[in-house]
Amino acid sequence: IFDCPVDLFFVLDTSESVALRVKPFGDLVAQVKTFTNQFIDKLTDRYYRCDRNLVWNAGALHYSDEVVLIKGLDRMPAGRDDLKRRVSAVDYIGKGTYTDCAIKRGIEELLIRGSHQKENKYLIVVTDGHPLEGYKEPCGGLEDAANEAKHLGIKVFSIAISPDHLEPRLSVIATDNNYRRNFTATSLVQSPVDTESTIETIIDMIVSIPLLFPAIARGPTSLLSIPHLFLLRPTQQ
């Protein structure tokens, strides 16, 4: 059975606009941490027909006006408990918002620590998109970071921290509209949101994308020349 690794890296906004938006202060950050750990719990090995086994590598960072690595990519489920513990221990920074720097650091982590399968790399960016103007973007700007991910073939999901997120900037972050939709990581009592459906939809999208067989040569008689083999749905163990 061939292992087909998927690299997933979480980029979590713990800036002032998130941490201090609603009372009690820090509540939205706590919700983001809960969302992330629920997501990590769903990263289970899945068997694909044709002798493929989808396996997950996951890591995370959080950011404000600095980027703090929570943990580099590690194999799931072996590294799950440690990653969740580190996510739970995050204290919000609560200052400016350098989302461009955070995305570029996430890209770096995927490239340095990830598998050789370039097609199977994903960023999960969880942010409110603030601020819109009147501040500096020291790492080239949001569009530059998003374009770098696209150029490298890294798919970027854009997850809102609601309420009052900036949809135009979340749309810039996402690879395309399919990677934005109405994905949300937080919910208020007065306007509840099903964050669980965000997790399920994203994982379903990832495991439904055709994945490449490692270590099989391309050629007119290879398995890679049989398109229907790559569209089979997985069965979760």
Side-chain angles (χ1 to χ4, degrees), residues 73-107:
L73 285 174
D74 197 6
R75 177 80 160 79
M76 301 290 114
R80 175 184 298 149
D81 289 345
D82 184 49
L83 178 56
K84 289 176 61 179
R85 179 183 60 80
R86 290 170 182 247
V87 168
S88 297
V90 164
D91 286 327
Y92 65 81
I93 302 171
K95 295 183 180 179
T97 312
Y98 293 168
T99 304
D100 56 338
C101 299
I103 290 174
K104 290 191 175 185
R105 176 63 184 274
I107 292 171

Side-chain angles (χ1 to χ4, degrees), residues 4 42 57 182 205:
C4 191
K42 300 282 188 181
N57 300 311
N182 62 341
M205 285 177 64

Side-chain angles (χ1 to χ4, degrees), residues 101-235:
C101 299
I103 290 174
K104 290 191 175 185
R105 176 63 184 274
I107 292 171
E108 180 181 324
E109 290 294 323
L110 284 172
L111 296 178
I112 292 175
R113 301 172 185 261
S115 71
H116 65 280
Q117 296 286 93
K118 293 190 299 182
E119 299 82 0
N120 301 338
K121 296 181 182 295
Y122 298 86
L123 285 177
I124 308 293
V125 180
V126 185
T127 180
D128 60 1
H130 287 267
L132 183 60
E133 56 189 18
Y135 76 108
K136 61 180 180 179
E137 292 183 305
C139 297
L142 202 57
E143 288 192 18
D144 184 66
N147 288 334
E148 182 175 331
K150 289 178 183 177
H151 176 73
L152 293 168
I154 295 170
K155 273 76 73 176
V156 183
F157 288 95
S158 184
I159 319 299
I161 299 175
S162 299
D164 302 325
H165 61 274
L166 292 177
E167 188 60 42
R169 285 175 62 81
L170 286 164
S171 296
V172 169
I173 292 169
T175 297
D176 58 38
N177 291 337
N178 207 33
Y179 288 80
R180 170 65 196 107
R181 305 195 189 188
N182 62 341
F183 296 142
T184 306
T186 56
S187 180
L188 299 181
V189 174
Q190 60 268 35
S191 55
V193 176
D194 183 10
T195 57
E196 184 78 15
S197 66
T198 289
I199 297 171
E200 292 174 354
T201 301
I202 291 173
I203 291 179
D204 190 58
M205 285 177 64
I206 292 173
V207 302
S208 299
I209 293 172
L211 300 171
L212 299 181
F213 280 92
I216 297 181
R218 296 177 182 271
T221 60
S222 74
L223 289 177
L224 289 174
S225 66
I226 309 175
H228 70 274
L229 289 179
F230 297 92
L231 300 176
L232 294 173
R233 300 286 295 164
T235 55

